[in-house]
Amino acid sequence: MTSRNPWFAALLMASVGAYAQMPVADLILTHARVHTQDPSQPEAEAVVVQNGRIVFVGSAQNAAAYQGAETRVEDLGGRTVLPGLSDAHVHLQQGEFFHHQLCDVRAFSVEEGLDRAKRCAATAPEGDWVVGYGWYDLDEPAFDHLTREQLDSVAGERRLAIISRDSHTIWVNTRVLNDYAIADDTPSPTGGQIVRDATTGAATGMLIDAAALPVLQDIQYRSSYSKPLPDLLKAAVRHFNTLGITSLLDAFADEETLNAYVQLDRTGQLNARVTLAAPVMPGNFREEIPRIAQRRQLESANVRLRYVKVLADGNGEVGLASYLHRDGSGGKSPGYYSDAEMAELVALAEKHDLAVFVHTIGDGAARQVLDAVEAARHRSPVTALRHTLTHLCWIDTADMPRLTRLGVVANIQEGWLAPAAFGGPPGYDYSRSTATGPLGPWLAGRVMPYGDLQAAGARLAAGSDWFYTDENPWNDLQAGVTARDPDGANPQAMLPEYAVGLPALLAARTTGGAFQAYREGDFGAVVAGRRADLIVLDKDPMDLDPMQIHSVQVDQTYFDGKLVYER
């Protein structure tokens, strides 16, 4: 029967027209538990993807209307979907190079460490260098007191370099000292240290930060251990996709690193959204920041240079962190920059439309950078730049609200709340160990106050700081929630009062990372219009006992709606 009602006919035609215009999906993930990270629609059953973007988030029934003959439909049977995770502080090149190209010399005694280094020398590739990775003073404090004679016993006439687990220190033999013109009376560079014998004043072979950088760069780029940089990055991104990571901030990316990422992106081989922070040192920031700004013309669709990487201070265990006080009342210590230099650096970065991404260990370093940002806001009250403090191992309680007020991102490493995140022998607890060692009880009891930062309203982004610490985000999330080691080796929590809830950490790993990347409208949440960077999990982390978060497995990873990993 034909309807004689013109209004009904018009409505029918409009409905048919709307259906005809509905996009046919490339991909439908359905019958899932979707945690969207979108407060207006926290959960859904299905996600529809077309041309690399999400076009619908909602019920399985409504998603079915988008299905066409060529649509890939994944019935997930109740499995969990999240936006692809972000690692908002990582060193991909170094991680792949240190862990997969160099000889592992990690040891818990000097004798064992030297023995492993000698075995590396026997199997080292042809060329001038013998290079190992993994000595660390938390595993054995005596590594900080090695003699030149001990180092010279390892590699004969070849160049020896042992890179510490955190890469801030390199131990070298006399051949390297001579080749790099480091004599007993050579002054330490600004931002680094040539360690000397306390009695004789002779260089011991231990080089820290800026003093080690020329050696490190030659090993990475100009030694028999070197590998093509695009190959290293491609392998590392592939590995990160297996962990559910689809975006990252590479926190020490020079021009060669930028070019390698761009090459991968422009040839369709980069399955990640990459933000870069380019390094400067106290002795070169005035010249280098304008050069970094010029490099932005080399960017590609998925590779963006937004930050200047700054080392405001060094590690507390070797006395290079900048503290306001060491015991609650006194003992102020400097960092690598004067207050005037830090203010000048921030102002110069802003002049070139770059934010700073600052490594701050001590609370003195955090305050110095916040003071510099505040001075910049007095000159220009409004900015779109997203200055970031990373690590924040210590920050004074009075400075925590300043992060929000000044629009500064708190980039945390939630995995560092685990007692043995940095290493150490079995049963090691960083806080308890350093309380009786180099830090003392006042500092050791206040390390990584991430729960307090969250409570103060700081905007959080989170990353692993791999190569240094565990890159697996499910291990890191568990450590951040429980303040315990994910492997259960040390059943005691370190500082549980500083733990952060799982919802806040997942936000830091998704929307927080996207915000830090200036791309919160592009990824970080399962929302119509955003890129289809999605992960499928074998279990829902929100339903697990917190000590089981590490057991989560990634079944599938999608980047731009394309399956880039399947377990």
Side-chain angles (χ1 to χ4, degrees), residues 21-104:
Q21 294 170 15
M22 183 174 289
V24 175
D26 299 317
L27 171 70
I28 298 175
L29 303 179
T30 190
H31 299 126
R33 186 175 183 185
V34 184
H35 293 299
T36 67
Q37 297 298 313
D38 175 14
S40 68
Q41 186 186 14
E43 294 195 5
E45 289 183 315
V47 184
V48 178
V49 176
Q50 185 193 48
N51 293 330
R53 289 195 180 271
I54 298 166
V55 296
F56 173 80
V57 181
S59 70
Q61 181 178 0
N62 289 342
Y66 292 83
Q67 184 174 344
E70 303 298 322
T71 302
R72 173 178 178 147
V73 179
E74 290 280 350
D75 189 328
L76 297 180
R79 284 182 289 170
T80 297
V81 173
L82 287 174
L85 301 185
S86 174
D87 192 324
H89 183 149
V90 69
H91 305 271
L92 279 199
Q93 172 196 1
Q94 291 86 350
E96 187 68 21
F97 185 70
F98 293 163
H99 289 285
H100 300 143
Q101 302 300 322
L102 301 185
C103 190
D104 181 4

Side-chain angles (χ1 to χ4, degrees), residues 153-280:
S153 72
V154 172
E157 298 301 314
R158 300 176 77 181
R159 293 173 168 178
L160 172 73
I162 304 295
I163 300 168
S164 69
R165 181 175 170 177
D166 64 0
S167 88
H168 285 274
T169 298
I170 298 181
W171 291 266
V172 300
N173 60 3
T174 297
R175 164 81 188 275
V176 174
L177 292 175
N178 291 339
D179 287 353
Y180 286 79
I182 300 173
D184 293 343
D185 59 352
T186 301
S188 292
T190 304
Q193 183 179 5
I194 300 169
V195 177
R196 305 177 197 283
D197 184 278
T199 302
T200 68
T204 66
M206 183 175 172
L207 307 175
I208 299 175
D209 286 338
L213 190 58
V215 178
L216 181 60
Q217 289 179 328
D218 279 349
I219 291 168
Q220 288 181 295
Y221 295 123
R222 292 171 286 277
S223 78
S224 52
Y225 292 86
S226 303
K227 296 293 181 184
L229 186 47
D231 292 351
L232 293 174
L233 297 177
K234 183 179 178 181
V237 169
R238 186 185 305 118
H239 170 54
F240 271 51
N241 288 160
T242 72
L243 301 173
I245 294 167
T246 57
S247 66
L248 59 95
L249 186 142
D250 195 315
F252 208 86
D254 57 17
E255 186 170 2
E256 291 181 77
T257 306
L258 167 62
N259 288 332
Y261 275 120
V262 169
Q263 176 184 329
L264 291 175
D265 191 27
R266 289 180 173 161
T267 55
Q269 301 180 78
L270 182 64
N271 295 320
R273 322 243 176 240
V274 178
T275 306
L276 303 179
V280 299

Side-chain angles (χ1 to χ4, degrees), residues 306-336:
R306 291 293 181 268
Y307 290 93
V308 174
K309 173 65 180 289
V310 183
L311 295 174
D313 62 346
N315 286 348
E317 301 85 26
V318 294
L320 294 177
S322 172
Y323 296 115
L324 297 174
H325 31 66
R326 297 187 63 88
D327 58 6
S329 59
K332 182 177 173 63
S333 54
Y336 288 152

Side-chain angles (χ1 to χ4, degrees), residues 329-449:
S329 59
K332 182 177 173 63
S333 54
Y336 288 152
Y337 293 81
S338 69
D339 292 346
E341 287 173 331
M342 185 61 73
E344 181 186 358
L345 189 157
V346 170
L348 185 60
E350 290 202 353
K351 177 182 177 181
H352 290 278
D353 197 30
L354 291 164
V356 293
F357 186 93
V358 189
H359 161 115
T360 61
I361 298 298
D363 53 2
R367 178 166 293 179
Q368 181 186 64
V369 181
L370 290 172
D371 286 348
V373 173
E374 184 140 34
R377 295 290 68 74
H378 287 317
R379 290 190 300 271
S380 176
V382 178
T383 182
L385 296 172
R386 296 173 182 181
H387 299 303
T388 298
L389 302 188
T390 188
H391 303 325
L392 289 163
C393 296
W394 289 271
I395 178 170
D396 193 83
T397 303
D399 287 325
M400 292 184 183
R402 300 177 70 197
L403 291 162
T404 303
R405 179 165 57 82
L406 295 171
V408 174
V409 177
N411 181 284
I412 65 170
Q413 283 59 66
E414 75 275 32
W416 289 10
L417 286 166
F422 302 148
Y428 181 83
D429 181 299
Y430 178 81
S431 176
R432 292 176 179 85
S433 176
T434 55
T436 59
L439 297 181
W442 195 88
L443 284 173
R446 290 164 172 78
V447 66
M448 271 83 74

